[in-house]
Amino acid sequence: MVSANLVRTVVGIIGNVISLLLFLSPVPTFVQIWRKKSVEQFSPAPYLATLINCMVWVLYGLPVVHPNSTLVWTINGTGIAIEMVYLLLFLLYSDKKGRFKVLLIVLVEVIFIALAATLVLTLAHTTRKRTAIVGIVAVVFNTMMYASPLSVMKTVITTKSVEYMPFYVSLASFANGVAWSAYALIKFDPFILVPNGTGTLFAVAQLMLYAVYYRSTQRQIAARQAKGDVGLSEMVVNGSSTKTNSSRNALGLEGGLK
């Protein structure tokens, strides 16, 4: 008979793969930034948010905080490295004001994690207490990250267009939420289940909006192309190439977790 631990490990590995794909999904955006030597109108906010989220989950997954969570801290450690590369490109190609803002926020995030780790490890003397404290913080940050597309969903409803809510990102977010929710259910972990269960619901809502407004989006794109209007960057809507203003950045969501 297959053990629960083995099943959980397999599900966790699947979750790692999906999370890695989400972490890497902004690569085309940063290739564009690197080629143009400018961040243009792209915002560093999603990447700063993902960085702090990953740092909190690495702390949560450490053996001294929550034992037997290797699959949690490894993928989030990878996420930290990826986000730092993205933010380095922002530092290279932003103006002086933008560069200072990114540096300041990264510094605040690092100080926050350092203080949190120090306080938890010195004041909480059991892994159970440490898990509860760091877990609550992780739930807050992870839920905020998953809720970030709400503003885009409002835009979709207002404009009746899904141009700024890429289908494959929403689908990957759904798969990511399902995988990590299953991981948390096999060996019950409420701190992983709550944010990822919430993320799954948000992703379902996005996919439903996509189904509702896909045809109206195609009509709007066709009408705009007929007038000769073009946007700033290319995106793909269900496999067809269109022009938009930075859809990936507008969604404001990437790596998932965990």
Side-chain angles (χ1 to χ4, degrees), residues 86-105:
Y86 294 156
L87 292 171
L88 178 61
L89 288 171
F90 266 100
L91 291 176
L92 288 174
Y93 299 121
S94 295
D95 56 25
K96 185 176 181 180
K97 181 179 179 181
R99 190 177 299 118
F100 176 77
K101 182 178 180 181
V102 170
L103 279 173
L104 180 61
I105 295 175

Side-chain angles (χ1 to χ4, degrees), residues 51-71:
L51 176 64
I52 184 66
N53 187 65
C54 287
M55 289 193 290
V56 171
W57 280 109
V58 165
L59 178 59
Y60 179 85
L62 293 178
V64 292
V65 176
H66 191 68
N68 304 314
S69 298
T70 302
L71 291 172

Side-chain angles (χ1 to χ4, degrees), residues 11-252:
V11 173
I13 291 172
I14 293 173
N16 270 241
V17 172
I18 297 172
S19 294
L20 179 61
L21 292 175
L22 278 171
F23 285 136
L24 294 174
S25 61
V27 166
T29 293
F30 286 93
V31 169
Q32 177 182 333
I33 289 173
W34 176 72
R35 286 176 176 173
K36 294 186 176 182
K37 311 299 182 187
S38 172
V39 297
E40 298 181 309
Q41 299 302 312
F42 291 105
S43 169
Y47 315 104
L48 290 165
T50 303
L51 176 64
I52 184 66
N53 187 65
C54 287
M55 289 193 290
V56 171
W57 280 109
V58 165
L59 178 59
Y60 179 85
L62 293 178
V64 292
V65 176
H66 191 68
N68 304 314
S69 298
T70 302
L71 291 172
V72 173
W73 71 260
T74 51
I75 185 58
N76 286 284
T78 302
I80 290 174
I82 293 171
E83 299 309 313
M84 291 302 292
V85 172
Y86 294 156
L87 292 171
L88 178 61
L89 288 171
F90 266 100
L91 291 176
L92 288 174
Y93 299 121
S94 295
D95 56 25
K96 185 176 181 180
K97 181 179 179 181
R99 190 177 299 118
F100 176 77
K101 182 178 180 181
V102 170
L103 279 173
L104 180 61
I105 295 175
V106 169
L107 180 61
V108 169
E109 291 182 348
V110 171
I111 292 173
F112 171 80
I113 291 298
L115 287 175
T118 301
L119 291 173
V120 167
L121 295 178
T122 56
L123 299 180
H125 301 295
T126 66
T127 55
R128 185 173 182 178
K129 289 181 179 179
R130 292 169 180 173
T131 294
I133 295 170
V134 180
I136 290 172
V137 175
V139 166
V140 171
F141 280 106
N142 210 179
T143 302
M144 289 172 61
M145 186 190 73
Y146 270 129
S148 61
L150 286 175
S151 60
V152 180
M153 293 168 67
K154 180 181 178 181
T155 300
V156 169
I157 295 172
T158 302
T159 63
K160 301 187 187 315
S161 172
V162 293
E163 282 188 87
Y164 299 101
M165 191 174 69
F167 173 76
Y168 291 113
V169 174
S170 298
L171 183 62
S173 297
F174 170 74
N176 187 69
V178 169
W180 286 106
S181 294
Y183 177 87
L185 283 170
I186 294 171
K187 188 176 180 181
F188 189 66
D189 188 330
F191 301 114
I192 294 179
L193 178 61
V194 170
N196 286 285
T198 303
T200 301
L201 294 177
F202 282 137
V204 168
Q206 292 170 42
L207 293 172
M208 290 176 65
L209 285 177
Y210 195 93
V212 170
Y213 293 115
Y214 174 75
R215 289 188 178 181
S216 63
T217 301
Q218 295 301 305
R219 288 194 294 269
Q220 291 181 39
I221 291 172
R224 190 164 62 245
Q225 290 177 338
K227 293 180 180 179
D229 293 340
V230 294
L232 297 178
S233 63
E234 188 175 76
M235 68 168 277
V236 175
V237 178
N238 199 31
S240 61
S241 178
T242 63
K243 299 287 183 178
T244 71
N245 282 320
S246 164
S247 59
R248 181 75 190 87
N249 188 63
L251 183 60

